[in-house]
Amino acid sequence: MSTHISMLSAPQTIGFKRMFAKDKLTVGIYYPIASYDGDIPNLVGQEKLAEQADLGGFSAIWSRDVPLRDPYFGDVGHVMDPWIWMAHMISHVKTAALATGSIILPLHHPIDIAKSAASIDQLSGGRLVLGVATGDRPVEFPAFNVEHSERGQLFRESLEYIETLFTSSAPVHKSSWGEINGQAELIPKPIGKRIPIGITGGSQQTMLWNAQHADFWLTYPRPISQQGLLVQEWNRLVKSSGSKVIKPVAQSLYIDLDENPDAMPIPIRLGLRSGRKGLIYFLKNLEQIGIGHVAFNVKFNRRPMKETLQETDRGSHSTLPKTWKIEIVLFLLFRVIFAIIVFQYFGYNLCSISVSMISAYIGV
């Protein structure tokens, strides 16, 4: 078995370097940059908000692949086709990586994905970072005449096909997706010869397989202690597989940023409701356990988007402020006062559960 290209060298593209900095957590944001009830957002003004996020120092702006609306799922992302959406946004987002989280490999032909990805990479000057997945909406599969149970195999075959198209001028590949015999090639090719690829979640593969074949891992929010153990296991598998490079870990995070900077962090579905100080503290803990990039999702955010972006720009999230030690001490003191109040009004059991849940999630 040949050594996978991702184990030999890290991607040298502008987008990958923008997203992953050595020993430093970076922050991105998902489209739509909007809060909304229901599953369909209002996209008016997304261009201006994307410009603000880009100028504010967000390292990546993420697009999603949702071919069909499942009214029971609860979220259709930014509605538009991800490739057309990114092409539209290139003139508004001039420095941030253009990341996908994620393209559903079993639902699209590998040649179409490779063509679209290489085109966006060329048009953006090498800023595409390609997150891929098997898909989480079963209702879509029969519409594409794809067996849901076969998505794992289709994912592996598609990924191999796409990488062959990216890297070879005479590609040879045969699988259930089709056959190419070296007499035709993909054009355009990506800038830098390949595009960084991140595997989302498990994608129906073993963690070892993902560690061998991905340039990075895109995972989901978890309590700090649990996430730290998974990052350690990922790093162990990357190293034990013989990789010569470190493969970073990224995660998503729903946020609801309170206008009170001292507001207590409270877990919400796949994320955190918090003031600025609590969010900074949480991000610092993620950085310490080895998370390289956090992609915010602001669907549940209750504040105006311009305010939220201003408060989470480069100056707020890239590093903790110089007074961070004092702020954390004050934050912990506030947590103790909160526990006393809960105990006074609701009794020990609820106090214990509330404080334990919050502490475990944010890593206090």
Side-chain angles (χ1 to χ4, degrees):
M1 178 180 176
S2 60
T3 302
H4 190 264
I5 188 172
S6 69
M7 297 168 63
L8 299 175
S9 63
Q12 297 300 309
T13 69
I14 293 173
F16 193 77
K17 290 180 177 180
R18 185 95 171 96
M19 265 184 63
F20 296 109
K22 185 177 180 181
D23 299 324
K24 178 183 175 182
L25 181 141
T26 67
V27 174
I29 192 166
Y30 272 96
Y31 292 116
I33 306 173
S35 58
Y36 50 102
D37 297 322
D39 63 341
I40 301 178
N42 184 342
L43 299 180
V44 173
Q46 286 295 292
E47 295 86 354
K48 290 295 184 184
L49 290 169
E51 287 177 5
Q52 184 182 346
D54 188 36
L55 291 171
F58 282 84
S59 67
I61 306 185
W62 293 74
S63 300
R64 296 162 64 188
D65 179 18
V66 184
L68 298 173
R69 179 186 178 226
D70 177 356
Y72 298 103
F73 193 88
D75 187 10
V76 297
H78 52 77
V79 181
M80 306 295 180
D81 176 273
W83 305 114
I84 295 174
W85 182 255
M86 284 188 286
H88 170 64
M89 285 295 186
I90 283 175
S91 63
H92 301 280
V93 179
K94 299 183 183 299
T95 60
L98 308 176
T100 62
S102 301
I103 301 300
I104 311 305
L105 296 192
L107 299 184
H108 308 285
H109 196 280
I111 294 177
D112 294 330
I113 295 173
K115 180 82 171 184
S116 296
S119 299
I120 292 293
D121 194 58
Q122 284 281 348
L123 291 171
S124 66
R127 289 188 287 136
L128 181 65
V129 176
L130 184 61
V132 295
T134 51
D136 55 8
R137 305 173 195 228
V139 70
E140 293 176 332
F141 285 78
F144 281 87
N145 196 29
V146 173
E147 289 291 336
H148 187 254
S149 61
E150 296 177 1
R151 65 194 186 281
Q153 176 184 340
L154 291 170
F155 177 90
R156 290 192 302 275
E157 293 176 351
S158 177
L159 189 59
E160 181 183 344
Y161 202 167
I162 290 167
E163 290 175 332
T164 300
L165 292 168
F166 282 162
T167 57
S168 176
S169 59
V172 175
H173 175 87
K174 183 176 182 180
S175 70
S176 56
W177 289 107
E179 181 176 359
I180 191 166
N181 58 11
Q183 296 180 338
E185 67 171 309
L186 177 75
I187 53 168
K189 292 287 195 300
I191 292 176
K193 297 185 179 179
R194 69 185 180 102
I195 293 172
I197 294 178
I199 294 178
T200 306
S203 290
Q204 299 293 301
Q205 316 303 320
T206 66
M207 198 173 190
L208 176 60
W209 191 93
N210 289 338
Q212 292 170 332
H213 292 81
D215 292 303
F216 70 99
W217 183 33
L218 176 58
T219 188
Y220 304 100
R222 297 177 184 86
I224 288 287
S225 57
Q226 184 182 354
Q227 195 77 309
L229 292 174
L230 283 172
V231 171
Q232 288 178 18
E233 178 63 8
W234 170 262
N235 291 336
R236 185 190 69 80
L237 289 171
V238 169
K239 185 176 181 179
S240 66
S241 65
S243 176
K244 297 181 179 180
V245 297
I246 296 172
K247 299 186 177 187
V249 180
Q251 72 157 74
S252 57
L253 184 73
Y254 283 80
I255 63 165
D256 181 6
L257 189 66
D258 198 290
E259 62 183 9
N260 175 9
D262 296 303
M264 184 75 177
I266 299 172
I268 60 174
R269 181 177 178 269
L270 296 176
L272 196 70
R273 176 174 295 125
S274 176
R276 181 180 62 86
K277 294 178 183 178
L279 178 60
I280 290 172
Y281 184 67
F282 183 67
L283 293 175
K284 189 64 180 178
N285 280 339
L286 289 177
E287 182 180 75
Q288 289 174 346
I289 66 169
I291 296 294
H293 178 84
V294 173
F296 291 155
N297 189 314
V298 292
K299 183 182 190 301
F300 302 135
N301 193 67
R302 295 169 295 177
R303 290 177 65 186
M305 282 302 118
K306 288 184 179 180
E307 289 182 16
T308 300
L309 291 175
Q310 287 170 355
E311 199 161 341
T312 53
D313 66 8
R314 183 189 291 114
S316 297
H317 66 64
S318 60
T319 58
L320 285 175
K322 292 180 180 179
T323 58
W324 70 271
K325 291 184 179 179
I326 296 173
E327 292 189 9
I328 290 173
V329 169
L330 292 174
F331 172 73
L332 292 174
L333 179 61
F334 178 78
R335 186 170 71 85
V336 172
I337 294 171
F338 174 80
I340 292 171
I341 293 172
V342 172
F343 172 77
Q344 205 170 21
Y345 283 91
F346 300 104
Y348 173 78
N349 288 338
L350 182 57
C351 167
S352 176
I353 291 170
S354 301
V355 175
S356 296
M357 179 179 67
I358 295 169
S359 298
Y361 196 89
I362 68 173
V364 178

